[in-house]
Amino acid sequence: MGHRAGAAWEMEDTKPCMEALEHCGFPGLYLSCFDMLFTEDSAWLVKVSEASPGLACAMPVPVPRMAHGEEPEQCPVIDSQALGLSPGLEGQEEERSLEQVQSMVVGEVLKDIETACKLLNITPDPMEWNSGNVQKWLLWTEHLYRLPQAGKTFQEQTGKDLCAMSEEDFRQRVPQCGDTLHAHLDIWKSAAWMKERCSVGDSKITGGEELWLEADSSCSGQPIHLWQFLRELLFKPHNYGRCIRWLNKEKGIFKIEDSAHVARLWGRRKNRPAMNYDKLSRSIRQYYKKGIIRKPDVSQRLVYQFVHPV
DNA sequence: AACGAGGATTTGT
DNA sequence: ACAAATCCTCGTT
């Protein structure tokens, strides 16, 4: 386990990312990675960002999170071109680096948590902790990140209690580092959720938006399908809203706003540098007779519809 | 010029 | 075997 701590919103287009990792020896944990892997609507993930403990390197400032109830489609899109950040080759480089960093960071975090669990003899899921487990985790975290001792603050608290507490609760109980503890707990929660999601499959449905997760490429060994890939992009509007977005999420109607860009992303994912929209759209059309994607009732250019919306 | 439909063939796993 | 990739012709916007 390293000496990492910290959070930063929106890794997109943060040039220093790769350099930072190299120069500083992988110091920062970019929580936005988790966010990008899941839907942006996961309410309990939303607050993870706020604490930025111990950032060793220059990192982008946390972006205020949108309020609940706002349309996800309207959430801010960070776009390299819009920020004047090198279109063309460099932009693509960054984009690819970003994806590499994402998977790398997530892998590292999961590994570290696993190590900690073995060492402390606790489960990865904070919800299952008894009060003893909680104390172990607290001591471990405090020691690892050189936090002031919270002492007996959380005596007799179970993991479930802890998980139910807001960041504000943490801050009140431990003014010195409550926010940091809360952030770290959130990481564990994220990891546990992710693990469960990957192993369980489809046995539970916790509400409308969960189904697409089955199709997430991050934990199915099989090669990703095009329709899955498109869904992935659609569920990360803050990353890809500029090139593909929902017109009607409920009906599964979406529009490809930048066909060339989407094709490039697809080509990169499949390691097909010669991919273009001509070929991508041909693959989409193959879905017609398979009943996966169709043209909407009122056919519009670059607009398609999932036959089975989530 | 860019998109759309769909046939034919090849490719990668 | 299968989904995609590739290549193609022809029609539409």
Side-chain angles (χ1 to χ4, degrees):
Chain A
M1 189 83 131
H3 37 281
R4 72 184 56 126
W9 270 122
E10 313 298 37
M11 273 169 58
E12 293 90 335
D13 308 309
T14 54
K15 262 228 200 69
C17 268
M18 285 311 274
E19 291 103 80
L21 289 170
E22 286 161 22
H23 295 162
C24 309
F26 210 83
L29 171 59
Y30 307 100
L31 292 166
S32 55
C33 297
F34 283 101
D35 178 66
M36 285 188 251
L37 287 175
F38 308 132
T39 160
E40 71 283 355
D41 296 334
S42 304
W44 61 267
L45 265 174
V46 157
K47 297 211 65 193
V48 173
S49 70
E50 257 113 66
S52 300
L55 267 189
C57 296
M59 280 288 123
V61 289
V63 172
R65 203 56 182 172
M66 64 183 181
H68 288 331
E70 270 181 52
E71 277 299 309
E73 283 85 351
Q74 306 303 320
C75 77
V77 174
I78 286 79
D79 180 86
S80 52
Q81 264 94 356
L83 292 175
L85 261 167
S86 60
L89 250 169
E90 276 180 57
Q92 293 182 22
E93 258 320 301
E94 278 177 27
E95 216 165 337
R96 197 170 51 198
S97 303
L98 175 66
E99 284 172 25
Q100 287 172 349
V101 172
Q102 279 178 236
S103 56
M104 203 164 88
V105 168
V106 171
E108 284 297 314
V109 170
L110 291 175
K111 234 185 341 188
D112 287 352
I113 287 179
E114 208 174 311
T115 307
C117 286
K118 280 180 189 156
L119 237 74
L120 303 175
N121 192 29
I122 60 176
T123 69
D125 187 357
M127 290 294 282
E128 296 172 19
W129 294 345
N130 59 31
S131 55
N133 298 149
V134 168
Q135 290 304 312
K136 279 187 192 174
W137 176 81
L138 269 175
L139 283 169
W140 167 261
T141 306
E142 287 162 2
H143 173 255
L144 200 61
Y145 300 101
R146 313 268 193 280
L147 303 176
Q149 300 284 312
K152 293 174 179 151
T153 316
F154 296 100
Q155 202 96 49
E156 302 304 317
Q157 302 264 308
T158 67
K160 214 169 187 173
D161 299 332
L162 235 59
C163 289
M165 289 169 62
S166 70
E167 189 183 342
E168 196 47 48
D169 294 332
F170 268 80
R171 243 198 292 267
Q172 276 180 4
R173 286 177 184 250
V174 195
Q176 312 95 319
C177 63
D179 49 355
T180 307
L181 285 173
H182 181 263
H184 281 295
L185 184 64
D186 252 332
I187 295 171
W188 282 66
K189 281 154 79 177
S190 303
W193 195 60
M194 200 168 158
K195 222 174 168 183
E196 189 202 6
R197 176 165 71 87
C198 291
S199 57
V200 168
D202 62 343
S203 53
K204 54 142 198 167
I205 292 146
T206 37
E209 310 206 70
E210 231 70 6
L211 276 171
W212 73 275
L213 294 169
E214 292 173 62
D216 194 298
S217 63
S218 60
C219 60
S220 67
Q222 303 307 319
I224 187 169
H225 289 200
L226 176 57
W227 64 270
Q228 295 176 307
F229 177 75
L230 294 174
R231 260 222 234 285
E232 273 188 35
L233 299 188
L234 284 162
F235 276 105
K236 297 169 187 171
H238 54 301
N239 291 348
Y240 303 110
R242 272 252 151 61
C243 62
I244 184 170
R245 67 184 179 89
W246 294 112
L247 290 188
N248 186 325
K249 202 171 180 178
E250 288 67 43
K251 290 183 178 173
I253 300 173
F254 62 97
K255 174 163 188 176
I256 296 172
E257 300 281 3
D258 184 340
S259 59
H261 191 199
V262 173
R264 273 206 314 277
L265 292 170
W266 175 232
R268 198 170 302 156
R269 174 66 72 90
K270 291 290 295 288
N271 209 15
R272 285 288 125 135
M275 182 52 59
N276 56 32
Y277 182 68
D278 251 23
K279 291 183 271 193
L280 185 150
S281 64
R282 181 69 190 93
S283 293
I284 291 179
R285 290 195 292 275
Q286 289 291 156
Y287 287 143
Y288 293 173
K289 62 175 177 181
K290 293 183 185 176
I292 297 172
I293 288 176
R294 68 183 183 87
K295 270 292 189 179
D297 297 323
V298 279
S299 181
Q300 307 166 69
R301 281 195 138 199
L302 295 166
V303 176
Y304 297 91
Q305 176 171 16
F306 285 103
V307 175
H308 305 291
V310 286

